[in-house]
């Protein structure tokens, strides 16, 4: 998809191009494709101005293709028509008992309704509002209500075998921060080490950094020599980093899924809640 967008951007800089037959590319497009070393096999382009009687460009437009991210156009159109452009998702918080002197003598419920952008900043604000409502200690459990969606059973590895990639996270009524952790890699040349930070980091997880910082040039991609594995250590799920990292590669981010949805949300909630000075006694 990136290739098509790039080529179209080049073509729009050439207003003299007119509509062409279905199997013939305009010369500016063909020249741009050749210049970037791209080939036309597997390429389809369709550009149609709204209200016009014919497309501006149609090249292999009727060839069956894997839609990839282009399918987002269809789902976005459906959402706009069904929900409207001003629709807002909601996330509800309920308590099962009164709050007395800052102590909730019961459970705290969080019910999701499909908000796709409940990122860590928004989740932090939600918890901050609970603290402002006077809740300091939760005596009961944290109950996560995912019942608004009833998705079919799926395996996040079905697409490409990479279940830990953030783009393979399955839909959920309560989805926090895309269920992902951002690992930040920062070379420390003075200390001769690679610092690794995780945000957000679920409370029940641990991070072990066994990587070596090298002085070599950045070879074969910054992450090509870094290994990651999950293991159990001292009763905690531990992400172990090993291998070598070239200091010349500079700072980088890596987004990964380290847990299923429910334990991930619980761990992030507990970590943020304790950072705010709160306590939770249940599970």
């Amino acid at each position: 998809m990136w290739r098509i967008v790039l080529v179209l951007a080049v073509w729009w800089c050439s207003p003299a191009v007119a509509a062409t037959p279905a199997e013939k590319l305009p010369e500016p497009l063909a020249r741009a494709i050749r210049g970037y070393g791209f080939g036309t096999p597997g390429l389809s382009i369709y550009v149609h101005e709204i209200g016009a009687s014919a497309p501006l460009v149609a090249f292999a437009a009727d060839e069956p293709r894997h839609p990839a991210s282009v399918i987002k156009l269809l789902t976005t159109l459906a959402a706009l028509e069904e929900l409207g452009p001003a629709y807002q998702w909601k996330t509800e918080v309920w308590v099962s008992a009164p709050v007395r002197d800052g102590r909730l003598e019961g459970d705290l419920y969080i019910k999701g309704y499909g908000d796709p952008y409940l990122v860590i900043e928004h989740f932090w604000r939600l918890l901050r509002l609970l603290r402002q409502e006077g809740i300091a200690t939760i005596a009961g459990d944290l109950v996560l209500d995912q019942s608004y969606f009833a998705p079919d059973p799926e395996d996040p590895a079905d697409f490409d075998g990479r279940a830990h990639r953030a783009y393979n996270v399955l839909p959920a009524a309560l989805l926090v921060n895309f269920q992902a952790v951002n690992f930040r890699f920062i070379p420390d040349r003075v200390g001769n080490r690679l610092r690794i930070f995780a945000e957000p980091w679920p409370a029940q997880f641990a991070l072990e950094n066994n990587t070596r910082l090298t002085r070599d040039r950045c070879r074969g991609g910054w992450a090509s020599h870094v290994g990651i594995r999950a293991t159990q250590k001292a009763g905690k799920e531990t992400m172990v980093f090993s291998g070598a990292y070239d200091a010349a590669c500079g700072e980088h981010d890596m987004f990964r899924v380290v847990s299923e949805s429910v334990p991930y949300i619980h761990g992030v909630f507990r970590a943020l809640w304790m950072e705010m000075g709160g306590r939770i006694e249940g599970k």
Side-chain angles (χ1 to χ4, degrees):
M1 182 58 188
W2 174 79
R3 294 184 179 184
I4 297 174
V5 172
L6 175 64
V7 172
L8 288 178
V10 174
W11 177 75
W12 280 120
C13 295
S14 307
V17 176
T20 56
E23 297 303 320
K24 182 176 175 60
L25 277 174
E27 180 52 33
L29 270 177
R31 186 168 58 250
I33 290 174
R34 292 193 299 268
Y36 282 100
F38 300 156
T40 55
L43 174 68
S44 291
I45 299 177
Y46 186 85
V47 182
H48 197 132
E49 182 180 357
I50 295 176
S53 59
L56 293 169
V57 179
F59 178 79
D62 295 326
E63 288 292 325
R65 306 288 190 197
H66 292 293
S69 291
V70 180
I71 203 67
K72 295 173 184 176
L73 297 174
L74 180 60
T75 55
T76 300
L77 175 63
L80 288 171
E81 289 190 344
E82 292 296 321
L83 304 176
Y87 181 83
Q88 288 186 318
W89 280 267
K90 63 181 179 179
T91 301
E92 296 177 341
V93 180
W94 299 80
V95 294
S96 64
V99 179
R100 296 188 178 93
D101 298 325
R103 182 179 175 87
L104 169 60
E105 296 290 352
D107 301 328
L108 183 79
Y109 289 77
I110 302 180
K111 181 176 177 62
Y113 288 88
D115 187 349
Y117 203 67
L118 188 58
V119 291
I120 192 62
E121 306 96 294
H122 298 167
F123 194 58
W124 180 92
R125 288 178 58 196
L126 176 64
L127 271 58
R128 187 65 182 167
L129 288 173
L130 294 178
R131 293 289 281 117
Q132 292 173 354
E133 289 288 335
I135 302 176
T137 299
I138 302 169
D141 296 332
L142 174 65
V143 182
L144 306 175
D145 189 340
Q146 301 268 25
S147 62
Y148 191 68
F149 283 178
D152 294 329
E154 292 185 80
D155 185 344
D158 283 346
F159 176 57
D160 58 4
R162 298 179 175 183
H164 60 283
R165 295 299 180 96
Y167 57 75
N168 280 327
V169 170
L170 300 176
L174 183 61
L175 184 67
V176 173
N177 207 55
F178 311 113
Q179 203 179 315
V181 172
N182 177 26
F183 292 102
R184 180 79 174 158
F185 298 84
I186 302 178
D188 181 357
R189 293 176 181 268
V190 176
N192 195 33
R193 62 190 179 118
L194 175 69
R195 293 187 292 161
I196 303 177
F197 299 95
E199 177 65 28
W201 193 230
Q204 75 274 27
F205 280 74
L207 191 154
E208 183 177 312
N209 182 5
N210 298 326
T211 57
R212 295 178 294 103
L213 189 68
T214 72
R215 301 287 178 168
D216 297 333
R217 61 184 179 86
C218 192
R219 306 159 297 159
W222 66 271
S224 60
H225 306 292
V226 176
I228 309 173
R229 64 184 178 90
T231 186
Q232 285 282 339
K233 288 194 174 184
K236 278 196 170 187
E237 188 77 19
T238 304
M239 299 297 295
V240 180
F241 290 82
S242 59
Y245 188 97
D246 300 328
C249 293
E251 299 182 9
H252 286 281
D253 295 288
M254 174 188 289
F255 292 87
R256 288 292 184 269
V257 176
V258 300
S259 170
E260 297 293 333
S261 175
V262 170
Y264 171 85
I265 298 173
H266 171 256
V268 171
F269 179 98
R270 184 176 289 272
L272 294 178
W273 192 249
M274 290 189 298
E275 284 179 8
M276 295 176 183
R279 294 181 58 208
I280 177 168
E281 298 175 355
K283 295 182 292 185

